[in-house]
Amino acid sequence: MAPDTVSHRLGLDGFVWFIGVVETVDDPLKAGRCKVRIFGWHDKDTSTVATDDLPWAYALVPVTHAGMHPNYKEGDWVLGFFLDAHSGQQPIIFGVLPANAQTTEP
């Protein structure tokens, strides 16, 4: 497939990774979602992109623990990808970086 060809099939239209910091885990649906300020996508100035305006991120969990909620907390750095590739509106978290909670960009 040519690099400039757009395919709307997951996995064929680009895999866009991210690292970000969890800003809130206060999910009104209690589904384990969080809001992540993603480095390089969202300005660290919250007056530019408010926490409320960040998209909800879902966490991947093992199929053996499908009813389990993730254990990240505000300030944790997370690693993930976007289901919608370069649109960047459907973040999925698949890991927490093993370090102390941080609040600033690297």
Side-chain angles (χ1 to χ4, degrees), residues 31-59:
R33 302 177 305 170
C34 69
K35 297 233 178 182
V36 177
R37 187 162 301 274
I38 297 168
F39 303 140
W41 284 76
H42 306 120
D43 194 320
K44 53 185 174 177
D45 178 4
T46 57
S47 66
T48 304
V49 179
T51 301
D52 286 345
D53 295 332
L54 296 172
W56 286 107
Y58 286 88

Side-chain angles (χ1 to χ4, degrees), residues 20-25 34-37 72-78 93 102:
V21 62
V22 175
E23 287 206 354
T24 184
V25 295
C34 69
K35 297 233 178 182
V36 177
R37 187 162 301 274
Y72 41 65
K73 59 191 174 305
E74 292 173 9
D76 281 347
W77 283 20
V78 293
I93 297 167
Q102 305 283 321

Side-chain angles (χ1 to χ4, degrees), residues 10 13-18 38 41-42 55 80-92 94:
L10 185 62
D13 56 357
F15 189 76
V16 181
W17 298 66
F18 67 78
I38 297 168
W41 284 76
H42 306 120
F81 66 96
F82 293 111
L83 280 177
D84 57 348
H86 296 284
S87 295
Q89 296 302 302
Q90 297 175 349
I92 302 294
F94 59 81

